[in-house]
Amino acid sequence: MKLRTKLVIISSFILLFALLLTDFFVLDRYSDNAVKEATSAGCNDSLRVKYEFESFFSGFSGNNEKQMIAYHFKYNQELYTVCYKNGEEYYNNTVFSLEELKSGKWHDSFELPYKKLDYKDKKLLVFKFDSFGSSFFNIVDITDTYEKIFSLAVTMAFVSLAVTVISVILISLIIKKTLSPLKLLSEGTKSIAGGDYSKRVAVKSSNEIGSLANDFNSMAEAIEKHSRELSESEKRTALLMANLTHELKTPLTAISGYAQSLRTLKLSDSDKDEALAYIDGESKRLDRLSKKMIRLLEIDRNTEIAFEEIAVDRLFDEVIRTCSSFAKTKSVELVKGQCDGIIFGDFDLLCTVFINLTDNAIKASENGSSVELFAENNGLFVRDHGMGIPKDEISRITEPFYMVDKSRSRKNGGSGLGLALVKVILKHHGFTLRIESQPNIGSTFGVITETE
Ligand code: ADP
């Protein structure tokens, strides 16, 4: 059974039950009062009959008592009064025998004792009293009162039924409106289950269902983001593997070829030296490549960065110290510019970043040129006056294994992993890499620490 139908049925039953219970109590009180009022009026009427009889009979002293009494009641049109004395009926116009009138249970909550009597569809009350040695019954018809109670009961039942029907219609409409977002949510869930993570639910209400819809949208958003990241990561991994395979294949084939030649061919000393030098050079490059690769994967996995306060001056000193011997080989001067202030991050990882940037800057520089390291308000920068990077390649150089000039980079011992490593480290710090470069003029690599 649908939730809406269930809710409508349950609420209708509760409503109907509440209305009927109210009706019952109201009717009970009303009928109680009405019957009491009717009984009190009947009692007063019987007392009137009694007093009228007593004022009539008080001066009587004849021996035709029975005729006088009958005359009195007939004359006064008291058709429902019965009089008897010593078991003999003096006056009785009613359909009831003395026995019928005498028998039954008598109540005494009013001035005169009375009992209830049903005759056909009539509701009667019988009051009894004695006066001047005679006994009397006075019958009062209260059918009217019961009819009023019945008609009130019927009216209330109809009103309750009408109220229930109207309420059921209203409840049904309200529930339909309230639950309609659930249908949208269900459709949204099905879409997500089917792999379409772009589905969102447009629910404006601020009730619990509205907040459920908001939660659903947040969940869909998170799933979509996660799935996008997963597929991007899958793509990255596939590309990385393809590039890695390619990077390994060429030197390994060459190393194997040279090794083969060394074993099988008679080579001159200079050819042997050349072969060994090549094997040595390529082995070292492969060693560097594998180390960078391991570092890259390590950092990408271990997202926890131990943030510490680092003086920029100290960081630049460490970088310059590490890169100075390579700079000397190319007669490139490493210049430390403005370097006040501090930066928050992992010292070793930030050293790796700036060593890579400075190393690249030295590689790109002409002999006798200079490379500057300096700090500005929004970050730290490495500037060279070297060959620069073509505009359309700038966005690609942070991709793993991407090299602008492959053969030149390889000759310089490059692997195309340095900037990929830099990017990953900066990402984990919440920093960004900004590259400005112009061919034959130079490049500035900026680590931006402030959000711009
Ligand atoms: P590599 O190990 O080859 O240096 P990187 O990822 O560090 O790998 O750099 C990728 C490529 O970006 C380099 O091969 C080089 O072509 C280019 N590049 C990086 N820094 C500079 C720079 N300062 N000036 C010119 N080209 C650069």
Side-chain angles (χ1 to χ4, degrees):
M1 191 191 281
K2 278 188 168 177
L3 180 64
R4 181 178 158 209
T5 321
K6 220 182 219 175
L7 287 174
V8 170
I9 291 175
I10 292 171
S11 45
S12 322
F13 268 116
I14 293 173
L15 186 74
L16 194 62
F17 179 70
L19 284 173
L20 289 180
L21 206 67
T22 316
D23 287 357
F24 174 77
F25 280 114
V26 170
L27 262 179
D28 188 55
R29 299 300 332 249
Y30 174 80
S31 63
D32 218 36
N33 284 339
V35 171
K36 259 187 203 152
E37 260 175 41
T39 312
S40 163
C43 183
N44 288 340
D45 187 57
S46 304
L47 284 170
R48 176 192 57 78
V49 171
K50 183 176 183 252
Y51 297 144
E52 278 178 10
F53 170 73
E54 282 169 357
S55 68
F56 158 73
F57 202 72
S58 56
F60 182 74
S61 58
N63 51 5
N64 54 346
E65 183 187 16
K66 182 178 173 184
Q67 284 81 1
M68 280 309 290
I69 289 174
Y71 167 77
H72 166 73
F73 287 117
K74 222 177 240 168
Y75 181 77
N76 285 308
Q77 297 255 313
E78 301 292 4
L79 302 177
Y80 298 107
T81 308
V82 174
C83 174
Y84 67 99
K85 192 169 184 179
N86 300 329
E88 186 193 347
E89 277 187 12
Y90 276 17
Y91 176 77
N92 185 2
N93 258 339
T94 70
V95 292
F96 303 109
S97 68
L98 276 182
E99 289 320 305
E100 268 179 286
L101 290 171
K102 277 183 196 168
S103 65
K105 191 174 174 245
W106 291 88
H107 309 281
D108 49 11
S109 46
F110 286 90
E111 213 172 314
L112 296 177
Y114 71 97
K115 71 166 188 174
K116 287 175 183 164
L117 189 64
D118 288 348
Y119 176 69
K120 294 186 178 166
D121 53 356
K122 297 257 176 226
K123 298 277 178 195
L124 306 173
L125 289 178
V126 183
F127 293 87
K128 70 175 177 182
F129 56 88
D130 294 325
S131 188
F132 292 108
S134 300
S135 299
F136 298 84
F137 293 111
N138 188 47
I139 301 169
V140 179
D141 187 350
I142 57 163
T143 313
D144 222 28
T145 305
Y146 278 94
E147 276 172 1
K148 272 187 199 156
I149 293 170
F150 179 72
S151 97
L152 180 69
V154 170
T155 311
M156 283 176 86
F158 271 116
V159 169
S160 297
L161 212 68
V163 168
T164 308
V165 170
I166 293 169
S167 304
V168 165
I169 294 169
L170 285 177
I171 289 170
S172 170
L173 290 176
I174 291 168
I175 291 177
K176 187 181 175 193
K177 194 168 180 293
T178 314
L179 295 185
S180 63
L182 286 182
K183 207 172 159 209
L184 293 176
L185 275 172
S186 156
E187 281 165 12
T189 317
K190 275 184 205 147
S191 297
I192 286 189
D196 175 11
Y197 306 126
S198 61
K199 187 91 183 168
R200 298 290 180 275
V201 181
V203 178
K204 288 185 187 76
S205 61
S206 56
N207 57 21
E208 287 82 351
I209 294 179
S211 81
L212 178 67
N214 283 336
D215 292 345
F216 172 86
N217 285 342
S218 311
M219 183 196 73
E221 187 84 44
I223 293 178
E224 193 182 15
K225 189 172 163 233
H226 188 61
S227 125
R228 210 172 31 233
E229 278 171 3
L230 273 181
S231 70
E232 273 168 16
S233 151
E234 261 171 32
K235 271 188 218 152
R236 268 207 315 271
T237 312
L239 193 69
L240 202 71
M241 292 315 288
N243 284 333
L244 182 66
T245 318
H246 178 75
E247 285 303 306
L248 292 177
K249 215 175 78 191
T250 321
L252 284 176
T253 316
I255 288 172
S256 151
Y258 277 110
Q260 194 94 11
S261 308
L262 282 171
R263 278 182 58 210
T264 53
L265 299 177
K266 269 196 172 175
L267 296 174
S268 66
D269 284 350
S270 69
D271 286 346
K272 270 185 198 166
D273 280 348
E274 194 191 324
L276 286 170
Y278 184 85
I279 291 172
D280 182 45
E282 283 304 287
S283 309
K284 280 185 182 139
R285 201 170 73 79
L286 285 179
D287 183 46
R288 281 195 303 278
L289 177 74
S290 65
K291 277 184 184 138
K292 273 198 179 167
M293 195 68 198
I294 289 166
R295 188 106 174 102
L296 187 68
L297 293 173
E298 248 175 26
I299 293 167
D300 211 10
R301 245 182 261 127
N302 300 330
T303 47
E304 284 296 306
I305 299 282
F307 281 92
E308 58 175 319
E309 217 176 78
I310 303 164
V312 176
D313 189 35
R314 184 178 146 232
L315 179 69
F316 283 174
D317 279 347
E318 179 68 21
V319 174
I320 290 171
R321 199 177 54 77
T322 312
C323 298
S324 59
S325 64
F326 177 48
K328 255 183 218 151
T329 61
K330 289 195 73 178
S331 309
V332 171
E333 189 191 0
L334 297 180
V335 182
K336 190 169 73 169
Q338 145 72 29
C339 57
D340 296 337
I342 48 162
I343 181 172
F344 285 92
D346 183 301
F347 185 77
D348 290 335
L349 292 179
L350 289 178
C351 272
T352 307
V353 167
F354 285 98
I355 289 169
N356 266 294
L357 297 180
T358 312
D359 199 54
N360 283 347
I362 297 168
K363 282 180 200 162
S365 298
E366 291 294 322
N367 282 13
S369 176
S370 69
V371 169
E372 292 118 44
L373 284 86
F374 60 96
E376 266 178 15
N377 287 342
N378 58 346
L380 311 182
F381 301 83
V382 177
R383 181 163 55 211
D384 67 62
H385 309 280
M387 69 178 74
I389 307 158
K391 204 173 167 203
D392 51 342
E393 308 224 35
I394 292 180
S395 60
R396 301 202 58 195
I397 57 171
T398 52
E399 287 172 18
F401 301 108
Y402 192 84
M403 299 171 224
V404 177
D405 180 346
K406 274 193 192 302
S407 61
R408 192 189 156 106
S409 288
R410 281 211 187 96
K411 219 165 76 199
N412 278 330
S415 59
L417 283 178
L419 288 179
L421 185 63
V422 164
K423 204 177 163 193
V424 169
I425 295 175
L426 295 184
K427 189 180 125 199
H428 287 301
H429 277 78
F431 302 157
T432 48
L433 182 68
R434 192 167 70 194
I435 306 167
E436 283 165 11
S437 185
Q438 273 184 290
N440 302 320
I441 292 185
S443 317
T444 304
F445 283 71
V447 170
I448 308 301
T449 53
E450 305 284 321
T451 37
E452 289 167 302

